[in-house]
Amino acid sequence: MAEVHIIGQILKAVDFAEPHLYCKWSLQSGNAWRLVQGEVQGQSHVASHRLQSSSDFAQPLDIHLSTASVQGWPRLLVEVYAVNVLQQSWPVGYGFVHVPSTPGTHRLEIGTWKVAPNGLWQSLRERFGGGGAALSKTDLLYSGVERYKLQTLSSGKVIVELNLIFRKFDEYGVEFK
Amino acid sequence: MQKSRDIKRTGVYRVSGNIGDLQLELKLRHISEWLPVPKFEYAGAQSTNAYGDHYPGSEEDVWHDCYIHVPQGDDSYGGRNCLGYNCSYYNVGTGYTGRRRRSPIAQHGGEDKEKNEEEITDLDLESQSNRSWSILSDNSRPPAGDLFYKRNKELCNGAIATMRISWQQKHFSQAELEQYINNPGSCAPKLQRRYHNWALETLKLQQRYLRKLENLEYAEKQQEPEPIKVRRRIRKPKSKQRGCSAVTHPTITSLSSANMSEVSVLDDPNFAARTCLIHTLLDNDSENLMPAEASEFHKKGYQLMYIYADLQQDTLLVSIRYDPEQGLLYVYPDFSSSAQDLDYVVQIERNNDCRQLYAFGFENVTPLEAYHDDGFSEEADGEDEQELGDGLPIEEDLPEDASAGEILEFYHRRRAAASERRSLLQFEMPPKRMKRVSLLLELQEAQNFENPNIHVRYYLKAPANTYYEGTPGVDTMQGATATCKNAGDWRSAHLGHCWQVTLLLEEQHHPADLLHLYFEVISIDSWQRERCEGYAHYAIPLTSALPTDSIRLQCIRPLGNWLDALNRYFIGGRQLFDFESFFDVHRQSEMHSRLDFNSDRPMTTTGTLSLRLQKLQQRQIDSCDQFHHHFHLDLGNNSSDDGDSNDDEIRSSSNPDTARATTLDEVMAAFVEARKRIELLLGNS
């Protein structure tokens, strides 16, 4: 059984329109992957920056997975939520990215998108009434259904730094090139 | 007569995890035996009754039909010493037939014909007759049944044979044990060598056990020879250290009135594995050994497993088949709710032998997976009794006021559970002579397109001699991303679409055959007008390195004439554009040129797509191939920046070595197959 160590941090979110953000992250993988140690999901604190439009999370990731197959390579899913002064939160960015397939240090930029408001009423609600729409089932993101009917708006970016350690893959003839 | 306890039906289950996790626990027990129906044709019966057997005269005449007294020493005919049907009897045809020493239980079973599973309680009344009977049985132990009895002492004494069997786990029968004891030689396949090692280990186990038994018997012989009536109870093994005193021997059951030398004195709960009582037939084994239906099932693509018990005759207990396409598991007979119930009954009736009754039960003990939060088992079966505490617990929290010892224990347990989880699966290797390539693709952004509301459709075309390997129901060779609304002009649309494609490459696959990726960018505006925004194409060779950064793909779209432009503006609509042949270099009659004034096919550039590709390769690896492997790695690191790299010449120098290794492999495989076939033929003839 080969093992993968993912050690890193979710650094910050940039270019979002809303100032106060927090990030919910989770790691999705296929059937043949088992979690040995660590948390596969979590939520960061609320962060904002006074001068730039960025929020520093510095959320640590320390996950140890063991796998019996190359299928179902893990993916990191991030959901960025905004909080307003009335303590209401709504999602302002969904993004996901494959965990890189080469060991070493990687700096990933995850482009996110949010669900677009459908009409005037919904955009008013988004601005004043406590937030926009959210996806009711987030497995829409990583399942293979046709997604073009989903209207989205581009949002900001989430920057993640990962250090990957792979173990015992060469025993099974897996090469990362 | 006893009706079978449970109707045998086929259980159908949907497997939602890995079939390799399946484990079942099988329990088998000998319940009873009783005489066969008396036969009337054997000669040698001393029947003084002129009318044959229909009008029995005296009481002794009744029994004359059933057996013949064989005088042993000073035993006499008839009377109290005849002990009814418990004697050995002689049949002209086969000589002495099977007669097991089953005195208390058989008498029990004979007297009351209901089969009960409770432990036999001791009866002091039996002791006397027991003594003389046992003397009888000593000398007249028949050879054929004796072998079975000697091998399966515990089973015949009423113990329950317990066996835990995993999916496609091989267990030997006695015959197979003898077959695999012989050293297959150094050029046998790995499987044969593994079987040989297992057979040797099992044989060692058996021999060790026999030696222990002999030592015990020898020690007993030192003491008084007359049978001692002892009350058996299960004792702690430390009594063994007190020398072999006659009274204190640990035993399995409370067969108290039996002669000591007759009862197996060593407590061995795993005797089923040692005596090769239960054996399995797998897909690995030859199809000739399997039942007739097996070849049909194999043709349909099922995976099969048969569990047999090596009783007086080889009996099929359980047959399991798994359909990997549908993910369905068929189990006949169905799982019991608890193996201890021993629901299913097997009757063995052979000619001139006692009818034997065995009962068995089996249940599903697949260990639970704690991967999900709610900790439900991955096998979609209703009952999951954990017999031996093998199940993985849901993650427990450390109590706040735990002592140091408790903290240590807690982490020990967690580590043990984690290592168990790690060891549950075998790593999936690609099929023989195939290489597996897994691509991780990611469409990151789309920029500079004319209209907003765009989404991207992608199509992958695999090259020749490759197979697409994926989960059923999910097609990753084509798909669409989500629509991004604010994408026009200078703005970039974050698509963020990731997917993974796994392909199996055959040997004949040439590195120059490329995998083609086609992208089509479509915009749909608020009036539902669809317009094509651009087409892009990218081709990668599957065996060489890929660029590590994101690739920026330029999209182009056909312009058409002024009428088409008006159409596009007002009505929308996508023209059928055969982009596949457009991008296919081999099928074009002439070169495309951007400066083409030919108004047939003018194209214009639109926006760009940003794509990120990562690749994983998996080959069949052998330990002797290690240095070939390093060789590969060294050359692969200096990748070129363009995806269509032509490091074929570098690869070709390493090819001869691997080519030699694979042909050697093929030769070995062919030799082994031929050998197996010849062995089968010779075995059959």
Side-chain angles (χ1 to χ4, degrees), chain A residues 1 3 29 68 70-73 96-98 100-101 112 146-148 150 152 154-155 171 173-176, chain B residues 371 422 425 428 442 457 481-486 493-494 497-500 502 614 616-619 621:
Chain A
M1 293 272 287
E3 292 167 31
S29 52
V70 164
Q71 283 272 45
W73 195 260
F96 69 116
V97 73
H98 275 298
S101 66
T112 58
E146 292 260 311
R147 287 161 34 184
Y148 73 96
L150 177 68
T152 66
S154 295
S155 222
E171 279 177 24
V174 182
E175 294 159 8
F176 312 102
Chain B
Y371 188 47
R422 250 182 297 195
L425 301 173
E428 258 176 45
E442 197 181 320
R457 286 189 176 269
T481 68
T483 305
C484 190
K485 275 178 100 167
N486 55 347
H494 289 157
H497 187 87
C498 303
W499 73 104
Q500 181 180 15
T502 312
Q614 299 176 80
L616 290 162
Q617 278 185 28
Q618 190 184 11
R619 303 180 296 137
I621 196 94

Side-chain angles (χ1 to χ4, degrees), chain B residues 177-238:
Chain B
L177 191 73
E178 275 145 32
Q179 182 193 350
Y180 288 119
I181 288 272
N182 309 321
N183 196 349
S186 51
C187 50
K190 239 195 237 181
L191 194 65
Q192 286 253 8
R193 270 179 276 153
R194 219 192 300 165
Y195 280 1
H196 172 62
N197 289 334
W198 287 351
L200 283 181
E201 280 175 20
T202 317
L203 192 68
K204 240 195 294 177
L205 206 64
Q206 288 181 348
Q207 283 169 350
R208 206 181 331 148
Y209 179 79
L210 281 173
R211 248 179 290 133
K212 252 200 245 173
L213 210 55
E214 280 167 14
N215 287 342
L216 227 46
E217 281 184 10
Y218 179 69
E220 286 166 16
K221 282 200 173 67
Q222 309 294 337
Q223 290 114 32
E224 35 195 2
E226 52 188 52
I228 302 169
K229 194 172 52 171
V230 286
R231 180 165 294 267
R232 310 269 185 220
R233 48 183 188 281
I234 301 172
R235 282 191 181 261
K236 296 278 185 296
K238 63 176 182 263

Side-chain angles (χ1 to χ4, degrees), chain B residues 346-530:
Chain B
V346 169
Q347 272 192 26
I348 298 189
E349 190 170 336
R350 290 209 300 189
N351 275 336
N352 308 317
D353 195 359
C354 301
R355 210 187 310 180
Q356 311 285 343
L357 189 71
Y358 292 88
F360 72 98
F362 65 104
E363 59 170 321
N364 177 19
V365 287
T366 310
L368 296 171
E369 293 298 333
Y371 188 47
H372 303 283
D373 268 343
D374 27 350
F376 54 81
S377 128
E378 292 210 330
E379 178 87 24
D381 193 354
E383 21 231 77
D384 261 339
E385 289 299 329
Q386 288 303 324
E387 281 250 324
L388 298 176
D390 239 357
L392 304 166
I394 306 173
E395 305 287 349
E396 13 172 339
D397 286 326
L398 195 57
E400 280 180 354
D401 51 352
S403 65
E406 282 177 57
I407 294 177
L408 273 175
E409 245 199 41
F410 171 71
Y411 282 107
H412 273 307
R413 258 181 288 142
R414 272 183 72 156
R415 212 171 307 145
S419 59
E420 245 210 77
R421 266 178 291 203
R422 250 182 297 195
S423 61
L424 279 176
L425 301 173
Q426 296 277 355
F427 201 90
E428 258 176 45
M429 299 297 284
K432 267 287 182 200
R433 297 183 231 153
M434 284 205 196
K435 208 185 332 188
R436 181 182 278 147
V437 170
S438 194
L439 288 167
L440 308 172
L441 302 115
E442 197 181 320
L443 266 175
Q444 285 173 328
E445 312 188 307
Q447 286 179 341
N448 299 331
F449 284 95
E450 295 166 3
N451 297 319
N453 290 343
I454 54 172
H455 67 273
V456 180
R457 286 189 176 269
Y458 57 88
Y459 308 91
L460 274 94
K461 202 170 98 160
N465 296 323
T466 57
Y467 293 112
Y468 168 67
E469 181 187 18
T471 49
V474 173
D475 187 14
T476 52
M477 299 295 269
Q478 61 188 43
T481 68
T483 305
C484 190
K485 275 178 100 167
N486 55 347
D489 301 328
W490 48 267
R491 285 171 294 185
S492 73
H494 289 157
L495 297 166
H497 187 87
C498 303
W499 73 104
Q500 181 180 15
V501 178
T502 312
L503 295 168
L504 289 170
L505 308 179
E506 287 185 336
E507 281 177 322
Q508 301 97 322
H509 173 260
H510 197 261
D513 285 338
L514 310 173
L515 170 78
H516 296 273
L517 297 158
Y518 300 99
F519 299 98
E520 190 184 351
V521 184
I522 304 166
S523 75
I524 308 179
D525 68 357
S526 48
W527 290 11
Q528 306 296 318
R529 290 180 290 197
E530 278 187 28

